Amino acid sequence: MDITEVAKPCKFDDQTTSDVIVRLRNCEGRPDKFYTHSNILINKSKFFADQLTCFESGACIEIHCSNSNYDYHVNLLRLLYLPSDLLLESLVSVKSAVEILQLAVQFDCEEITKVCVQYLEAIPWEDKEEEIILKAVSKLGQVAMPILARIQPVDLKATKNVFVSAVRFATSIGGPGPPFVDDLKTSAQEQVEYMLTKDAETPLVTADDEVKSVMKMGLSQICSSFEKGLSSLLLEPDLTSGTLEDKIMHGVSDVEWISNILPKMDLMKDFVSSWAEISSKILVVVEDKKLDSSMWGLKTKAKIAKDMATLHKEDEASFRLKM
């Protein structure tokens, strides 16, 4: 029998009827085992549906959470059991709705996500609550646009165009430019950093899918240029050229820059993925003794080795569910 078709009523945390255990892993020693039901999890969450692709009764799904959002994880599990017409009235505050919305997006709970958005669109909030909402939902992409439009219902097209243009210059999308392109690129990188940290309107446009797409293009451009430039070193007869040194060190600087920018747009996983694609080729160059022949070559090797060690930790962390 298909487990998605089980018709008998289920109650949350009912051990007598449960066929799936959800364990909330935390370091505060709170109760972490909840008895759930596969038909509820699969029908209400694409995340759990994927986890239960090869379902076996008694399966255990582990989720890492902190003490600060432990209760919201429990509340989300409870909401999976509520009828659709009771979801909206179950939300009791702006803060809880924001926290549950973030988890609903992460666990791909479409129905709960829509209800949280509806609640936040309609409920009155204070200035302090607006700051909490803006910080949280600006990372959620297109799903949060109705909420962001309420926060600042203005034409953000100009801000979006400026930001996208700055990203294109900062990442050299479109290929190399005139001799003074490095100065333009540096200025554009500074502008992107400023807009992400100081400009109140920028968080509203970074949730836009088109903006994220352009940033991903820039990431691809920077990684590709860096890998090609580094690989070309093994073909150079003379590594003492100052121009060559400047080119490679600019590449290292670009990689550092975008690795600091992407977390602000919730795109660090994309960086880890892109880095993983080129890391084997980079290692070939880094481990080649030819770079030992110049001081800047040694500096480059040391810098890249340090960055790769850091990114290796990020790569390992990306396989865990972060809350």
Side-chain angles (χ1 to χ4, degrees):
M1 180 173 64
D2 189 334
I3 57 177
T4 64
E5 297 177 357
V6 176
K8 61 182 180 181
C10 303
K11 293 183 179 179
F12 175 63
D13 208 23
D14 182 358
Q15 186 174 359
T16 61
T17 59
S18 168
D19 58 357
V20 178
I21 295 173
V22 174
R23 184 185 297 274
L24 299 181
R25 295 294 301 272
N26 62 92
C27 58
E28 280 77 19
R30 302 184 67 172
D32 64 353
K33 186 186 295 184
F34 296 91
Y35 296 94
T36 62
H37 303 80
S38 56
N39 59 310
I40 297 292
L41 299 182
I42 289 173
N43 287 326
K44 298 295 184 70
S45 164
K46 292 181 182 178
F47 168 83
F48 285 119
D50 290 341
Q51 294 291 307
L52 295 170
T53 300
C54 301
F55 172 74
E56 293 183 5
S57 183
C60 181
I61 300 174
E62 290 194 349
I63 297 172
H64 295 267
C65 66
S66 65
N67 190 47
S68 62
N69 63 13
Y70 177 94
D71 289 336
Y72 298 113
H73 280 78
V74 178
N75 286 341
L76 179 71
L77 291 175
R78 292 184 186 279
L79 290 176
L80 296 177
Y81 284 77
L82 277 185
S84 300
D85 58 344
L86 297 181
L87 284 174
L88 189 59
E89 64 184 60
S90 70
L91 299 174
V92 296
S93 70
V94 169
K95 180 173 175 54
S96 65
V98 169
E99 295 290 345
I100 291 172
L101 173 59
Q102 293 179 88
L103 294 177
V105 171
Q106 190 158 5
F107 288 106
D108 214 343
C109 306
E110 184 176 352
E111 189 175 46
I112 295 176
T113 298
K114 289 181 179 179
V115 169
C116 288
V117 170
Q118 291 172 7
Y119 178 87
L120 291 170
E121 277 188 281
I123 197 72
W125 61 55
E126 300 177 355
D127 290 343
K128 290 183 178 180
E129 291 175 324
E130 182 169 303
E131 293 177 10
I132 295 173
I133 294 170
L134 180 58
K135 183 178 180 180
V137 304
S138 62
K139 301 177 181 180
L140 299 182
Q142 200 66 31
V143 68
M145 292 308 290
I147 304 171
L148 294 175
R150 176 188 164 183
I151 292 176
Q152 194 164 350
V154 298
D155 183 7
L156 297 173
K157 186 176 180 179
T159 301
K160 175 180 174 179
N161 288 342
V162 170
F163 186 76
V164 167
S165 178
V167 169
R168 289 183 176 277
F169 274 111
T171 59
S172 301
I173 294 177
F180 54 87
V181 70
D182 285 336
D183 292 335
L184 283 176
K185 184 170 69 174
T186 300
S187 296
Q189 289 179 352
E190 291 174 351
Q191 183 175 8
V192 170
E193 288 183 58
Y194 175 84
M195 293 184 74
L196 284 173
T197 56
K198 303 294 185 181
D199 192 326
E201 293 183 357
T202 303
L204 304 180
V205 302
T206 54
D208 185 272
D209 287 342
E210 182 183 349
V211 174
K212 287 183 179 290
S213 177
V214 172
M215 183 58 81
K216 291 177 183 179
M217 288 173 55
L219 167 63
S220 177
Q221 174 68 23
I222 283 178
C223 287
S224 176
S225 297
F226 179 60
E227 183 269 316
K228 290 178 181 177
L230 203 60
S231 296
S232 69
L233 290 179
L234 301 183
L235 303 177
E236 292 288 339
D238 181 14
L239 293 180
T240 61
S241 168
T243 302
L244 190 61
E245 176 182 354
D246 289 343
K247 178 181 178 182
I248 297 302
M249 297 312 291
H250 276 140
V252 173
S253 177
D254 288 344
V255 171
E256 277 193 309
W257 173 79
I258 202 163
S259 71
N260 290 323
I261 289 297
L262 291 177
K264 297 179 176 65
M265 296 181 64
D266 202 28
L267 293 174
M268 192 58 185
K269 288 184 179 179
D270 294 89
F271 179 66
V272 172
S273 177
S274 295
W275 185 266
E277 291 179 6
I278 65 172
S279 60
S280 60
K281 296 178 181 178
I282 291 175
L283 276 174
V284 171
V285 180
V286 170
E287 294 175 351
D288 195 285
K289 293 183 178 180
K290 188 173 183 178
L291 264 67
D292 294 343
S293 63
S294 64
M295 183 58 69
W296 72 267
L298 287 170
K299 284 198 306 182
T300 302
K301 289 179 71 168
K303 181 62 182 171
I304 294 172
K306 179 181 177 182
D307 289 346
M308 291 188 75
T310 301
L311 288 168
H312 178 66
K313 293 179 181 178
E314 288 283 350
D315 195 23
E316 287 181 335
S318 69
F319 287 102
R320 299 176 59 195
L321 183 62
K322 292 184 177 180
M323 302 300 168

